[in-house]
């Protein structure tokens, strides 16, 4: 490709696309483009030196490093001058992708699987299971954290939030602990960051709760709570999949279903009683 034609093409599209993208699409190395710019428009000696440094190091360094190299070569410049020249010719270094931030309190505290898929319980508060599920039915993604008692499948506590973090599960746990006697209760979860967080593990210990975790990537180890979340979505939301809901409506429908599930919905394993009815009769 003729240099003059390519430079004209870049001038035409650089307001909409980056010079790097245009060069990649046309198969022209970025360094070649700047050499052509040098020949066509004329660079100062300083600009040539900065371009040469960037080309030599394959555009992997920032303006501070370039300034340091210039200083080593006897050229003392203000950092902002170097930065302005590099910006002028799009010589900025490649930005390293940021590592995902760890969730507050996360410390990867994995505990053994105490349930081992034994979901039978002889009395209330012996075995609880918990999990978080997505509620993608409103204006934005919402998250539901739930704690269920395996004795009668009763939902002890739940919370809907627009943030999937450790605080969500801590709030749910606090609600459950306020309602029930928790000394010696086994609380089973997956290995999500919320449950392996130090804050969660410490709170359970303070309430006398023994934590248990599924094997990594094995949803069957927490099948009961997985099944409940599936039932909530299929029975309450999937019949309305073409209806646009607000987040407030999603919240209200979740609350309505929780009441229905605990107080009205019959279970064959509970002799066709609802969870609350079954627990009340047993008491």
């Amino acid at each position: 490709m003729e240099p003059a034609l390519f430079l004209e093409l870049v001038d035409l599209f650089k307001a909409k696309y980056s010079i790097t993208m245009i060069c990649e699409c046309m198969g022209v190395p970025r360094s070649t483009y700047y050499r052509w710019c040098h020949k066509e428009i004329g660079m100062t000696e300083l600009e040539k030196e900065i371009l040469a440094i960037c080309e030599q190091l394959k555009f992997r360094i920032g303006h501070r490093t370039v300034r340091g190299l210039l200083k080593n070569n006897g050229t003392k410049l203000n950092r902002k001058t170097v930065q302005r020249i590099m910006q002028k010719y799009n010589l900025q270094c490649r930005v390293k992708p940021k590592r995902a931030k760890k969730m507050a309190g996360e410390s990867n505290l994995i505990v053994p699987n105490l349930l081992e898929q034994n979901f039978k319980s002889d009395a209330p508060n012996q075995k609880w299971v918990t999990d978080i599920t997505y509620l993608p039915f409103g204006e934005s993604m919402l998250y539901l954290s739930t704690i269920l008692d395996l004795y009668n499948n009763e939902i002890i506590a739940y919370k809907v939030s627009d943030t999937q973090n450790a605080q969500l599960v801590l709030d749910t746990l606090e609600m459950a602990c306020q309602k029930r006697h928790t000394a010696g209760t086994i609380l089973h979860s997956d290995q999500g960051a919320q449950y392996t967080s130090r804050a969660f593990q410490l709170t359970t210990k303070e309430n006398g709760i023994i934590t248990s975790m599924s094997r990594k990537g094995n949803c069957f180890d927490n099948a009961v709570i997985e099944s409940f979340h599936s039932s909530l979505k299929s029975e309450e939301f999937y019949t309305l999949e073409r209806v646009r809901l607000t987040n407030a409506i999603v919240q209200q429908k979740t609350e309505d279903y929780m009441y229905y599930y605990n107080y009205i919905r019959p279970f064959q394993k509970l002799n066709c009683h609802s969870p609350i009815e079954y627990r009340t009769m047993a008491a």
Side-chain angles (χ1 to χ4, degrees):
M1 175 175 286
E2 291 293 328
L5 181 60
F6 183 73
L7 293 177
E8 185 179 345
L9 180 69
V10 172
D11 287 337
L12 184 62
F13 290 102
K14 66 182 182 180
K16 188 175 182 180
Y17 304 103
S18 69
I19 292 175
T20 300
M21 180 180 293
I22 298 172
C23 289
E24 289 178 352
C25 291
M26 301 303 296
V28 176
R30 192 168 67 162
S31 58
T32 301
Y33 163 72
Y34 288 114
R35 281 200 303 272
W36 289 347
C37 285
H38 166 223
K39 292 179 181 178
E40 293 292 325
I41 63 177
M43 286 180 162
T44 66
E45 290 302 317
L46 176 61
E47 290 173 342
K48 292 178 185 178
E49 188 175 3
I50 291 175
L51 174 60
I53 291 173
C54 292
E55 287 182 339
Q56 180 184 6
L57 298 173
K58 299 182 179 180
F59 306 97
R60 293 172 178 166
I61 56 174
H63 64 274
R64 291 180 177 83
T65 304
V66 172
R67 175 176 176 264
L69 293 172
L70 288 170
K71 184 178 179 181
N72 292 341
N73 293 336
T75 304
K76 294 184 178 181
L77 287 173
N78 183 283
R79 174 183 65 82
K80 292 184 178 179
T81 301
V82 178
Q83 184 182 30
R84 185 168 59 251
I85 292 173
M86 292 181 67
Q87 289 175 342
K88 177 182 177 181
Y89 295 104
N90 194 27
L91 303 177
Q92 292 92 332
C93 65
R94 299 184 181 96
V95 178
K96 292 181 181 179
K98 292 183 179 180
R99 294 182 61 184
K101 291 183 179 180
K102 282 192 173 183
M103 188 172 299
E106 182 181 350
S107 55
N108 199 34
L109 299 174
I110 308 299
V111 298
N113 182 353
L114 301 180
L115 286 192
E116 296 182 341
Q117 298 188 16
N118 180 7
F119 302 123
K120 292 183 179 180
S121 179
D122 299 324
N125 308 322
Q126 284 186 348
K127 300 176 183 177
W128 293 354
V129 290
T130 186
D131 198 12
I132 296 175
T133 193
Y134 299 89
L135 297 177
F137 308 108
E139 301 153 306
S140 61
M141 181 66 73
L142 295 176
Y143 306 93
L144 170 65
S145 169
T146 312
I147 296 179
L148 180 150
D149 191 333
L150 289 176
Y151 170 67
N152 59 339
N153 279 39
E154 180 181 349
I155 303 304
I156 303 169
Y158 68 94
K159 183 175 181 180
V160 177
S161 174
D162 58 358
T163 307
Q164 185 185 18
N165 56 15
Q167 192 59 49
L168 174 59
V169 299
L170 287 172
D171 290 344
T172 313
L173 178 61
E174 182 180 356
M175 285 187 281
C177 292
Q178 289 175 352
K179 295 178 180 178
R180 298 293 186 90
H181 178 71
T182 58
T185 299
I186 294 175
L187 177 57
H188 184 84
S189 69
D190 59 23
Q191 293 186 22
Q194 299 87 353
Y195 303 113
T196 61
S197 68
R198 186 170 299 278
F200 182 81
Q201 292 295 321
L202 181 61
T203 303
T204 54
K205 186 175 182 180
E206 289 174 347
N207 285 277
I209 295 173
I210 304 167
T211 53
S212 168
M213 289 183 183
S214 303
R215 292 166 294 178
K216 194 169 185 178
N218 193 323
C219 62
F220 298 104
D221 284 351
N222 209 6
V224 176
I225 194 74
E226 295 274 2
S227 177
F228 165 74
H229 284 153
S230 177
S231 296
L232 182 150
K233 294 176 183 179
S234 62
E235 295 179 14
E236 189 68 25
F237 290 103
Y238 286 158
T239 56
L240 303 172
E241 57 184 329
R242 296 185 180 181
V243 179
R244 290 183 62 86
L245 304 177
T246 64
N247 284 358
I249 292 177
V250 173
Q251 174 92 32
Q252 185 59 55
K253 290 183 72 64
T254 301
E255 292 176 4
D256 292 344
Y257 185 82
M258 293 297 185
Y259 181 87
Y260 161 76
Y261 186 90
N262 274 342
Y263 288 89
I264 301 173
R265 192 181 192 272
F267 286 79
Q268 290 188 3
K269 70 175 244 178
L270 303 179
N271 297 323
C272 291
H273 294 296
S274 69
I276 296 289
E277 187 178 22
Y278 183 84
R279 178 168 59 83
T280 302
M281 292 174 61

